[in-house]
Amino acid sequence: MSPQRSKGFTLLELLVVMVIIAVIASVAVISTGALGRDPPAQKAAHELADLAGLASEQAVMQGRVYGLRIEAHGYSFYTYDGRKWSPLQADNLFYRRDLGDDVTLTLHMDGTTSALAPPPATVQEPAAATSATPAVHEGDTDQTELPQVLLLSSGELLPFEIEVAGVSGAAYTVKGSLTDGITVVEPSADAGKARP
């Protein structure tokens, strides 16, 4: 007679099953996280915070004043030469970002909603770029061309909040303060947690 084989699972079989369950659970968590939030708004918020933080550091290192001009669906970086503000257009990093209609920005300075800058005439429809937006000529400093958020060479940072909302209603908040620097607050139950 041959010895009877005990019924049950081997350790190797149990490990294979546990790995399969872990992979399926990971995929479920990742896909739920991606579907439960607004990826374009999330990406835009983190990119804005990273770029603003980098501009703030460069302002200190280079002794220059940078500015951030916020529009409803985009933003751009400016620099101040002591006389006038100029957009950073030829810069490979701080060029103007157009976020499209799926992402909307709202600016809060000192706890109140601030006016947003109009989009540049070059990206407006021809009919919209008539008398509503004054023309800006070379060398002119127009109020519509001034940045609202200042990144000073002294390292000082006036408090600001930029709400980055997507089509799903998820709103990320890019917060800037002297004590915490520039962070992103996720739209979740634990909204108090910020990402540096």
Side-chain angles (χ1 to χ4, degrees):
M1 282 193 180
S2 66
Q4 266 192 347
R5 202 164 171 227
S6 68
K7 296 180 183 181
F9 297 106
T10 64
L11 182 59
L12 182 60
E13 292 170 332
L14 286 174
L15 287 175
V16 169
V17 170
M18 288 175 63
V19 167
I20 292 171
I21 290 173
V23 168
I24 292 172
S26 299
V27 169
V29 166
I30 290 170
S31 65
T32 302
L35 294 174
R37 298 198 178 170
D38 197 329
Q42 181 182 31
K43 180 179 182 253
H46 288 284
E47 183 178 50
L48 173 57
D50 292 342
L51 287 171
L54 185 59
S56 181
E57 290 172 8
Q58 282 196 9
V60 173
M61 289 189 301
Q62 297 174 356
R64 298 172 67 183
V65 177
Y66 283 87
L68 182 57
R69 182 176 178 268
I70 307 296
E71 305 163 17
H73 302 287
Y75 59 91
S76 51
F77 288 90
Y78 280 63
T79 186
Y80 187 68
D81 66 4
R83 295 185 332 254
K84 64 181 172 103
W85 287 99
S86 303
L88 293 169
Q89 295 174 342
D91 194 286
N92 291 335
L93 189 60
F94 297 116
Y95 57 88
R96 182 183 179 280
R97 299 310 203 270
D98 184 9
L99 304 176
D101 292 336
D102 291 343
V103 178
T104 304
L105 303 179
T106 307
L107 175 64
H108 302 280
M109 302 286 288
D110 295 324
T112 59
T113 303
S114 297
L116 296 176
T122 55
V123 294
Q124 287 183 349
E125 297 297 323
T130 56
S131 61
T133 306
V136 179
H137 303 289
E138 187 69 59
D140 288 351
T141 303
D142 191 306
Q143 192 65 23
T144 62
E145 288 292 318
L146 296 177
Q148 304 100 319
V149 177
L150 302 181
L151 307 168
L152 304 176
S153 59
S154 63
E156 293 181 56
L157 186 63
L158 300 174
F160 69 88
E161 290 185 9
I162 303 169
E163 187 176 284
V164 184
V167 291
S168 70
Y172 298 80
T173 304
V174 178
K175 294 178 104 175
S177 70
L178 184 59
T179 55
D180 297 328
I182 299 173
T183 58
V184 175
V185 178
E186 304 282 336
S188 61
D190 54 356
K193 292 185 179 176
R195 182 191 80 84

